[in-house]
Amino acid sequence: MDDLGWLDLACDLARLCPPSETAFSVGAVIVGPDGREIARGFSRERDPRDHAEESALAKAPERVPGATVYSSLEPCDRRGSRPRGCAELVIAAGAARVVFAWREPSLFVEGTGAERLLAAGLEVVELPVLARRAREPNAHLVDRPDSPDRPDRPDLLDHPDRPDRLGPGG
């Protein structure tokens, strides 16, 4: 399977998340350098505070050197419910690459996970062609009138980072 196929699976996993008004629904898959799946997870899979990458990493061996983490949403850099963000967990696990579909909207925290991963030397690939699929299980959050990332807000209609728009590298 290629990057799009694995990321499509992560988007499918996001649909399994119990709904939440305070967290995004995200799916994640960890794939080894040999192309075989190591683990998968989704937000709130075992605990209401679990993030998808955290859930998948909990099922994997302690370290996953050279692995690729596919996540429907950009891994978080910081969070209120746990001391370490998902980007830090991915770095500590030894992954080499992260592929995601949708940049973290600024609804809860400012999304800076990709920058953190890049600074640590990981390859980061954004595939916005799947951003709409990653966004769907989160529509109840981002389509609220007060959402800073609502796609039909007049001030965002021509913005290059709009979720359904191909941006740099897309």
Side-chain angles (χ1 to χ4, degrees):
M1 197 168 345
D2 64 3
D3 283 348
L4 278 173
W6 288 115
L7 191 53
D8 196 46
L9 174 58
C11 289
D12 288 342
L13 291 169
R15 295 180 177 282
L16 301 176
C17 300
S20 171
E21 290 298 318
T22 60
F24 291 109
S25 294
V26 181
V29 183
I30 303 170
V31 177
D34 62 358
R36 294 185 185 171
E37 183 178 327
I38 296 172
R40 63 175 70 182
F42 55 90
S43 302
R44 300 175 295 286
E45 184 174 1
R46 295 174 300 130
D47 180 283
R49 296 172 298 167
D50 283 349
H51 284 199
E53 301 90 342
E54 176 182 34
S55 181
L57 285 166
K59 298 173 193 171
E62 187 174 324
R63 296 201 22 93
V64 289
T68 298
V69 176
Y70 294 91
S71 181
S72 58
L73 181 71
E74 172 187 16
C76 67
D77 186 30
R78 60 187 175 90
R79 57 196 282 197
S81 61
R82 301 273 166 94
R84 299 169 77 190
C86 293
E88 185 179 336
L89 296 174
V90 167
I91 293 164
R97 297 176 74 227
V98 173
V99 179
F100 67 90
W102 183 34
R103 289 246 173 206
E104 183 174 13
S106 57
L107 188 61
F108 303 116
V109 297
E110 196 62 39
T112 57
E115 289 77 10
R116 173 89 183 252
L117 295 164
L118 287 166
L122 278 73
E123 178 185 353
V124 176
V125 178
E126 181 178 3
L127 297 178
V129 68
L130 289 176
R132 192 178 300 261
R133 282 215 53 231
R135 192 181 170 285
E136 286 171 0
N138 298 288
H140 67 289
L141 297 171
V142 295
D143 288 344
R144 298 186 315 205
D146 63 334
S147 172
D149 297 289
R150 189 169 156 192
D152 62 345
R153 278 185 33 202
D155 56 327
L156 291 179
L157 287 177
D158 293 320
H159 195 279
D161 294 331
R162 196 173 134 194
D164 63 343
R165 209 171 179 70
L166 292 180

